[in-house]
Amino acid sequence: MSEHEWLAEQFEEHRNHLQAVAYRMLGSLSEAEDAVQESWLRLSRSETSAVVNLGGWLTTVVSRVCLDMLRSRKARREDSIEDHVPETLASRDGGSDPEREALLADSVGLALLVVLGTLSPAERITFVLHDIFAIPFHEIAPIVGKSEAAARQLASRARRRVQGTATASEADLARQRELIDAFLAAAHSGDFDALVAALDPDVVLRDDRQSGALRVTRGAVALAKQVSGRAQAAQPALVNGAVGIIAAPRGRLLYVLQFTMRDGKITEVELIADPSRISQLDLAVLDPAGR
């Protein structure tokens, strides 16, 4: 076996791990595949005889490639909320299977991908490497060009953004989560009666995608008709400290729902799709217990 063939074989053994790292950093399967391919090109051009831990070396390389790609997005001023959050492959010519992307995004967690997309490139790289893949800070620091202490601060700042800060008590959050879960389940299944039951009779929906009279929907029956059988790509998330909903098909954020609740019913719904408004929201991940 030639040295090139041996390197190719070793690289394939690490490919799945490298793609998992790159996907969480970039939020796009096609871009992750590009980053992994670039790491192979760098490996094939490098002298690796002195490399003791090839997996660690490759993780460092793909992380630096991803960091460059994230910084390039920012340099091109493609830093609206739609560019920071994970993108769907359906928008890329010759891209990978959209169903595969959807499955991968769902396994990672759509809410996590969306929240990661709001971090700075260095925060995102540091958080993914340390909090998700348990890589020590002394190995992360050279990748992001910071001291070990600064890398710790980046991860801490990113962790606070990902986890968010609740504005309600745990009991209130649990009640909010129960109501929002019931609303989502009814919307997904098309259970009209259950939808109406979750809504206040005089509920109001304000949708910034619409204009004029279409911007506002009033009444439980009208709103239930509008959402019944829909919201398949929606998931609960923490929105400005309260339980809300994000809609992110294949990981690409389309809109956010904020709710006002009273006496166990949803009284107001704010649908926010304007990227400039979304960028001002504090989005965070809810754990399975509701926080």
Side-chain angles (χ1 to χ4, degrees):
M1 180 184 294
S2 69
E3 182 179 356
H4 182 83
E5 290 172 332
W6 181 84
L7 277 177
E9 183 178 280
Q10 293 298 304
F11 182 81
E12 288 304 318
E13 290 183 6
H14 295 287
R15 180 183 289 276
N16 288 341
H17 168 74
L18 296 176
Q19 191 159 34
V21 172
Y23 182 72
R24 285 158 178 79
M25 290 178 177
L26 298 170
S28 162
L29 182 54
S30 56
E31 288 191 2
E33 290 170 342
D34 290 344
V36 171
Q37 181 62 23
E38 176 62 24
S39 69
W40 159 248
L41 293 175
R42 295 191 185 187
L43 173 64
S44 65
R45 295 193 298 258
S46 300
E47 172 55 56
T48 58
S49 59
V51 174
V52 177
N53 180 359
L54 186 61
W57 187 91
L58 286 169
T59 299
T60 296
V61 170
V62 80
S63 298
R64 286 174 171 158
V65 171
C66 290
L67 183 59
D68 289 343
M69 293 172 74
L70 289 170
R71 286 172 171 166
S72 178
R73 289 181 190 174
K74 199 171 186 67
R76 296 195 307 268
R77 298 188 179 276
E78 296 178 350
D79 56 349
S80 71
I81 190 69
E82 290 187 355
D83 293 308
H84 274 305
V85 300
E87 65 178 337
T88 171
L89 291 184
S91 64
R92 292 177 64 112
D93 295 336
S96 302
D97 183 358
E99 183 176 354
R100 182 185 171 209
E101 171 112 3
L103 290 172
L104 181 56
D106 192 52
S107 69
V108 171
L110 296 178
L112 177 60
L113 288 179
V114 168
V115 175
L116 285 178
T118 67
L119 305 179
S120 73
E123 288 171 343
R124 184 165 183 160
I125 297 294
T126 305
F127 178 85
V128 168
L129 290 177
H130 182 266
D131 284 46
I132 298 179
F133 292 99
I135 294 176
F137 286 115
H138 71 267
E139 294 182 19
I140 298 172
I143 296 173
V144 294
K146 303 285 186 181
S147 67
E148 185 174 341
R152 289 180 182 274
Q153 291 177 347
L154 285 172
S156 177
R157 189 159 61 237
R159 198 175 301 118
R160 288 195 298 270
R161 293 281 300 278
V162 171
Q163 295 174 349
T165 302
T167 59
S169 68
E170 289 189 10
D172 284 341
L173 282 175
R175 285 191 288 269
Q176 291 175 16
R177 180 67 183 269
E178 184 178 3
L179 181 55
I180 296 307
D181 282 346
F183 172 80
L184 265 182
H188 289 168
S189 64
D191 188 336
F192 186 82
D193 291 339
L195 269 172
V196 172
L199 301 169
D200 183 88
D202 299 318
V203 65
V204 176
L205 165 69
R206 297 179 180 85
D207 185 346
D208 72 8
R209 301 171 301 179
Q210 308 293 340
S211 58
L214 295 176
R215 191 177 184 90
V216 178
T217 300
R218 299 181 184 277
V221 172
L223 180 52
K225 288 180 178 178
Q226 188 167 324
V227 302
S228 181
R230 299 182 181 178
Q232 300 302 319
Q235 288 189 356
L238 208 61
V239 181
N240 286 352
V243 180
I245 287 174
I246 59 170
R250 303 192 189 101
R252 186 182 183 90
L253 184 60
L254 294 184
Y255 60 82
V256 176
L257 295 178
Q258 280 189 288
F259 295 89
T260 301
M261 300 169 237
R262 187 171 56 248
D263 299 327
K265 302 285 186 180
I266 296 170
T267 58
E268 294 183 27
V269 185
E270 186 83 11
L271 191 155
I272 303 169
D274 182 345
S276 64
R277 295 183 66 200
I278 290 178
S279 66
Q280 297 174 21
L281 298 174
D282 180 11
L283 303 178
V285 177
L286 279 166
D287 68 25
R291 178 67 191 92

